[in-house]
């Protein structure tokens, strides 16, 4: 099915470990995003990519890096995980044609840092 | 900068009750407004969106929202809720970039 695919779905890391969250979309969308969701704080934008080859910081970029590998894929890397990065991470892509104006979200990655 | 406020953090209703969830935004220019729903354990899904035109927007599952520019509000309504509407609801705003800024969410619990 067309959509946004995130891997892994669950992950437990020890403080200081690194990992990469993968995201791929097959809808030919130009823009892609990484959000984190924490209780009582809604979704906060970490990084976004308006097009292949470009990335920009969002509200909470510290401790993260991203790569827009190609039009389909947008990965999020934690170089040295901290307990404060325990969260649910959502990738999204967007299409700005009138009929499909909006975001499509992936199913999320639940990350726990111990 | 854009911001969104959702003042109702947790709403508890009985089935068939009417629902209104508040959303206020802060932005001086033209905005696009959205309501998303997140059912337990799932990702966000679009309920409805406003770009321009009729300020009363109808979405899926019987939800509607009204854009009141003078009040900077975009409240979500449903005349009669069902148990299956139990979820978290997020209001979001987009200004002159294609970044969505979300509110903190409202958790709705509907009891039979």
């Amino acid at each position: 099915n067309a959509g946004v695919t995130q891997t892994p779905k669950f992950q437990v890391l020890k403080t200081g470990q690194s990992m990469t969250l993968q995201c791929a979309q097959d809808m030919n969308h130009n823009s892609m995003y990484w959000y984190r969701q924490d209780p009582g704080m809604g979704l906060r934008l970490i990084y976004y990519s308006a097009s292949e080859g470009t990335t920009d910081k969002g509200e909470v970029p510290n401790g993260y890096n991203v790569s827009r590998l190609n039009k389909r894929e947008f990965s999020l890397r934690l170089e040295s995980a901290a307990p404060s990065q325990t969260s649910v991470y959502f990738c999204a892509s967007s299409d700005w044609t009138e009929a499909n104006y909006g975001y499509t979200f992936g199913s999320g990655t639940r990350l726990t840092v111990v | 900068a854009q911001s969104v406020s959702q003042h109702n953090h947790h709403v508890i209703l009985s089935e068939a009750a009417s629902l209104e969830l508040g959303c206020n935004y802060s932005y001086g220019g033209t905005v696009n407004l959205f309501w998303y729903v997140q059912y337990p354990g799932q990702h966000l899904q679009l309920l409805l969106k406003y770009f321009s035109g009729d300020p009363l927007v109808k979405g899926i599952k019987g939800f509607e929202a009204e854009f009141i520019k003078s009040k900077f509000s975009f409240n979500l309504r449903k005349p009669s809720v069902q148990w299956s509407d139990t979820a978290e609801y997020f209001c979001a705003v987009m200004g002159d970039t294609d970044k969505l800024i979300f509110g903190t969410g409202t958790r709705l619990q509907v009891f039979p």
Side-chain angles (χ1 to χ4, degrees):
Chain A
N1 293 334
V4 178
T5 303
Q6 289 183 237
T7 56
K9 293 189 183 302
F10 301 93
Q11 183 71 49
V12 179
L13 290 179
K14 294 182 178 178
T15 297
Q17 286 185 316
S18 62
M19 79 161 294
T20 299
L21 281 64
Q22 306 288 352
C23 176
Q25 54 93 5
D26 57 7
M27 297 170 287
N28 203 36
H29 289 173
N30 284 316
S31 299
M32 297 185 73
Y33 312 82
W34 277 105
Y35 286 85
R36 59 177 289 173
Q37 183 180 23
D38 301 291
M41 304 191 76
L43 279 80
R44 292 179 293 169
L45 183 64
I46 305 171
Y47 270 94
Y48 70 103
S49 171
S51 62
E52 183 179 354
T54 68
T55 61
D56 286 287
K57 295 178 180 179
E59 302 170 70
V60 289
N62 291 345
Y64 305 95
N65 285 301
V66 290
S67 295
R68 184 74 183 267
L69 305 169
N70 48 54
K71 193 171 185 178
R72 292 186 63 248
E73 297 172 290
F74 188 40
S75 62
L76 178 71
R77 183 161 179 84
L78 287 71
E79 291 290 352
S80 179
S84 61
Q85 294 178 304
T86 293
S87 186
V88 181
Y89 291 85
F90 287 100
C91 178
S93 67
S94 66
D95 175 6
W96 304 119
T97 60
E98 183 62 32
N100 297 307
Y101 203 92
Y103 282 28
T104 301
F105 284 87
S107 56
T109 297
R110 185 174 293 276
L111 175 67
T112 302
V113 183
V114 298
Chain B
Q2 306 150 94
S3 66
V4 180
S5 296
Q6 292 182 246
H7 304 294
N8 314 105
H9 299 295
H10 190 190
V11 173
I12 301 173
L13 294 173
S14 298
E15 275 192 321
S18 64
L19 170 71
E20 181 161 4
L21 301 182
C23 173
N24 288 91
Y25 67 92
S26 173
Y27 186 68
T30 301
V31 292
N32 298 309
L33 296 158
F34 304 78
W35 275 98
Y36 282 84
V37 61
Q38 185 178 33
Y39 298 104
Q42 296 188 26
H43 61 282
L44 277 75
Q45 302 171 44
L46 182 66
L47 267 181
L48 49 79
K49 55 194 176 188
Y50 171 80
F51 302 142
S52 62
D54 189 343
L56 185 61
V57 180
K58 294 192 184 298
I60 61 172
K61 305 187 180 189
F63 286 91
E64 65 179 31
E66 185 175 13
F67 171 53
I68 303 180
K69 189 174 181 179
S70 61
K71 295 184 178 180
F72 296 90
S73 69
F74 190 56
N75 292 353
L76 181 70
R77 301 194 293 246
K78 186 171 184 179
S80 177
V81 295
Q82 301 173 319
W83 175 79
S84 58
D85 293 324
T86 294
E88 191 154 18
Y89 293 81
F90 294 93
C91 182
V93 63
M94 179 183 301
D96 55 4
T97 69
D98 60 358
K99 293 183 290 181
L100 270 180
I101 304 300
F102 286 87
T104 54
T106 297
R107 184 177 169 216
L108 172 66
Q109 281 185 291
V110 180
F111 289 97

